[in-house]
Amino acid sequence: MFGKKTVSEEFNGFLAQGTSVNGDLSFSGTLHLNGNVRGSISTTGVLIIGEHATVEANIKAGEVQIYGTVIGIVECESRVEICETGRLRGDVRTQKLIINEGGTFEGTSLSATPEKPNQSEWTPDHSENVPELTAR
């Protein structure tokens, strides 16, 4: 009614503040995490890391939105968004990295292309002749 989404329409699962998970967490759909996780997280869906969450994990996901704290390696198919209150310390591999004003990122970012998501280093194409720069 009134065009507002219900909780079940917004996400499939929720881990509340005060909840702790140690180990491997995998899910489908969208998960809103506001507790603590240590280990690894895997999904093809959306992971929303809430403002009160602390995550020390390697993450593989379709999309990640960070409002809390993440320490680890993050690999995403589409995008990683570090929101105003979000903090990420670690390496990121994604097609699109968005850092909103107030968000912090400390680490290395690599761009993953849709055709070659596992390519980690750029290889120059030597097929074209590139003129040398000369000092004047």
Side-chain angles (χ1 to χ4, degrees):
M1 197 171 168
F2 304 109
K4 218 175 177 184
K5 291 182 179 180
T6 65
V7 170
S8 62
E9 290 174 333
E10 290 182 11
F11 45 85
N12 305 89
F14 183 78
L15 291 177
Q17 185 176 359
T19 304
S20 293
V21 175
N22 289 309
D24 301 330
L25 174 63
S26 62
F27 64 92
S28 59
T30 301
L31 175 68
H32 188 122
L33 172 62
N34 227 3
N36 301 318
V37 174
R38 175 176 273 178
S40 68
I41 301 173
S42 178
T43 183
T44 55
V46 178
L47 174 62
I48 302 169
I49 298 170
E51 192 171 345
H52 302 288
T54 300
V55 176
E56 295 179 42
N58 292 331
I59 300 170
K60 290 188 179 186
E63 179 179 329
V64 176
Q65 297 172 18
I66 302 171
Y67 294 88
T69 301
V70 175
I71 300 168
I73 298 169
V74 180
E75 294 183 49
C76 283
E77 291 178 26
S78 64
R79 72 184 206 143
V80 173
E81 181 176 4
I82 303 172
C83 301
E84 307 77 33
T85 57
R87 295 182 306 253
L88 172 58
R89 185 176 353 146
D91 297 338
V92 176
R93 178 189 305 267
T94 186
Q95 290 180 43
K96 188 182 291 186
L97 174 61
I98 301 165
I99 304 172
N100 292 315
E101 186 174 346
T104 60
F105 171 57
E106 181 183 328
T108 304
S109 171
L110 296 171
S111 178
T113 59
E115 315 79 61
K116 299 177 183 177
N118 294 325
Q119 184 178 356
S120 63
E121 295 183 337
W122 173 70
T123 307
D125 180 8
H126 295 291
S127 63
E128 296 181 22
N129 292 330
V130 179
E132 288 186 28
L133 295 176
T134 55
R136 290 185 175 198

